[in-house]
Amino acid sequence: MPLKGKSLLIKIKEYIGIMIGIAMYVLGWNIFLVPNNLIGGGVTGIASIVQYATGGAVKIGSTYFTLNAILLVLAFFILGKSFGGKTVFAIVLASVGLNIGQTLIPADIIQKLAIENGKLMSTLMGAILVGISMGITFSQGGSTGGTDIIALIVNKYRNVSPGRMILWMDTFIILSSLLVPSYTQAGELVPFTEKITTVVYGFIYVVVVSTVLDLYLSGSRQSVQLFILSKKYAEIADTISAEMHRGVTVLDGKGWYTKETTEVLMVITRKTDLNILLKYVKSIDPDAFLSVSSVTGVYGKGFDIIKSGRKK
C-alpha cells in the first residue's frame, strides 16, 4: 500500500476512535444518568440541569451544542485548527446522540441496567463509561467539548492535569443544581432533600470520571525509544519523518564483530504509534534490526512540555 494511503488510514483510525468514544459517552448519559435524573459536570452537566428544569422541553443535546459552539471559538485560536476540526466532529455526534438516544434506547434495557440497579451503581457505571470515552477522544486529538476544552487550554500553559481541572469546574456546576428546580421524566417535581442526595452522586460521578480519565491518558501517553539498524536507513528515516511527523536521529556506529561502519536510527514515539512505525520499517526493510525500550518523561516538540507557569 502507498505511504499516502497508510497516512489516510491513520486519519480514518483517529476519527473511528472518536466515534467509539462519543458512542460510549452518549450511552453513559442516556442509559445510566438521565433516566435517574442524575447530574454531572461540564457542559453536559449544565445541559442536564436545563433539561430537568424544563421537564424535558429543552433536550440535553440542544444546550450542549449551543454552549460548545461558543467554547469552540477558543479552541480554534488556542489549541489549533486540527484540534478544533476533530472536536467539531465529536460535538456534532454527541449532540445528535444525546438527543435521539433518549428515544431510541429501549425502555426495558434502561430499566434492567439503570433503574433496577439503583442510582449509586448507575452513577458508577455511567462515570466509568464517560471517563473512558473522554480518554479515547482526547488520545485521538479531539475532545467531547465543554469544560474539556477549558481544561486542555489551562493544561497547555500550566502543570495541571486535565482530570483535576475538570474536577474543580464540575464541583461548581453540580452545586449550582441546588438552585434550579428539577422534574422527573414523568413530570414530578424532585424534592429538595432528594436533590441534595443527587448532588452527592454528582460528586461521586466527577471523581470517578477524572480518575478514569487520568489513568487512561497516562497509559496512552507512554513513550518508547527505538534503535533501528538497516542498510535502507535513509528511506526509513524519510518515511518516519514524512508520514509520522516524528524526529529521527542518525548515529554513526560500528559493528565490532564485522568491523563495518553502520548508521543507527534513534526514534522516540508514543507507545500507541509503535505498531504503525514497525509496519513502516518492515515494509521498507524486512531484515532491519530493531531494539525497543520504554522511556519515562519525554519532553520537547511532539511530546510533553515543561511548563514554567509563565507566558513567553
Side-chain angles (χ1 to χ4, degrees):
M1 181 183 293
L3 295 179
K4 288 186 178 180
K6 291 184 179 180
S7 181
L8 178 62
L9 287 178
I10 294 174
K11 287 292 183 182
I12 294 175
K13 176 187 173 183
E14 290 175 348
Y15 277 91
I16 291 176
I18 292 175
M19 291 174 65
I20 294 173
I22 294 302
M24 295 177 65
Y25 190 85
V26 168
L27 290 176
W29 272 95
N30 286 339
I31 293 179
F32 297 105
L33 302 175
V34 174
N36 285 294
N37 264 62
L38 294 170
I39 57 176
V43 167
T44 317
I46 297 173
S48 67
I49 294 173
V50 172
Q51 174 168 318
Y52 303 151
T54 59
V58 180
K59 295 292 186 182
I60 290 181
S62 303
T63 306
Y64 176 89
F65 181 81
T66 302
L67 294 177
N68 275 304
I70 299 172
L71 291 172
L72 275 176
V73 176
L74 297 175
F76 273 110
F77 285 103
I78 299 177
L79 299 176
K81 293 182 179 180
S82 177
F83 175 92
K86 292 178 182 178
T87 300
V88 170
F89 176 72
I91 287 174
V92 171
L93 284 181
S95 300
V96 174
L98 288 169
N99 273 358
I100 67 174
Q102 296 183 47
T103 57
L104 291 180
I105 299 175
D108 57 338
I109 292 179
I110 295 176
Q111 180 68 29
K112 289 184 177 297
L113 292 180
I115 305 300
E116 292 182 4
N117 284 321
K119 290 189 175 183
L120 178 59
M121 188 58 65
S122 294
T123 299
L124 295 175
M125 291 189 290
I128 291 172
L129 273 177
V130 170
I132 295 174
S133 71
M134 290 169 62
I136 293 174
T137 309
F138 276 18
S139 65
Q140 300 304 318
S143 167
T144 52
T147 52
D148 303 352
I149 296 175
I150 300 175
L152 291 181
I153 290 174
V154 173
N155 181 253
K156 184 175 181 179
Y157 300 104
R158 297 288 188 275
N159 281 313
V160 180
S161 72
R164 181 173 298 180
M165 189 65 197
I166 291 171
L167 177 60
W168 293 343
M169 292 183 288
D170 288 352
T171 300
F172 174 79
I173 293 170
I174 291 172
L175 287 175
S176 68
S177 67
L178 293 172
L179 306 176
V180 182
S182 180
Y183 296 89
T184 65
Q185 292 181 326
E188 300 176 353
L189 180 65
V190 177
F192 186 78
T193 53
E194 187 173 336
K195 289 179 66 177
I196 295 176
T197 306
T198 302
V199 166
V200 175
Y201 288 133
F203 286 140
I204 295 174
Y205 166 86
V206 297
V207 170
V208 174
V209 168
S210 62
T211 302
V212 172
L213 172 60
D214 282 345
L215 287 174
Y216 187 96
L217 290 180
S218 63
S220 64
R221 287 180 177 173
Q222 290 180 351
S223 299
V224 292
Q225 179 176 270
L226 293 89
F227 288 103
I228 305 171
L229 287 82
S230 170
K231 294 181 179 180
K232 299 181 179 179
Y233 70 93
E235 186 178 350
I236 294 174
D238 289 340
T239 301
I240 294 173
S241 298
E243 300 299 329
M244 300 191 66
H245 306 290
R246 288 296 181 192
V248 181
T249 302
V250 181
L251 306 174
D252 293 327
K254 182 177 183 180
W256 193 250
Y257 180 77
T258 61
K259 299 298 188 292
E260 295 180 357
T261 59
T262 183
E263 282 71 29
V264 181
L265 303 182
M266 185 185 74
V267 184
I268 296 179
T269 187
R270 297 293 187 192
K271 192 173 183 179
T272 52
D273 295 330
L274 177 60
N275 287 335
I276 298 174
L277 190 149
L278 293 178
K279 288 179 180 177
Y280 279 144
V281 175
K282 183 179 180 181
S283 66
I284 297 172
D285 184 4
D287 298 323
F289 181 85
L290 296 95
S291 171
V292 182
S293 59
S294 298
V295 294
T296 304
V298 182
Y299 299 96
K301 188 174 180 180
F303 293 91
D304 296 330
I305 299 174
I306 300 176
K307 307 177 185 70
S308 62
R310 291 175 295 183
K311 204 170 184 179
K312 292 184 179 180

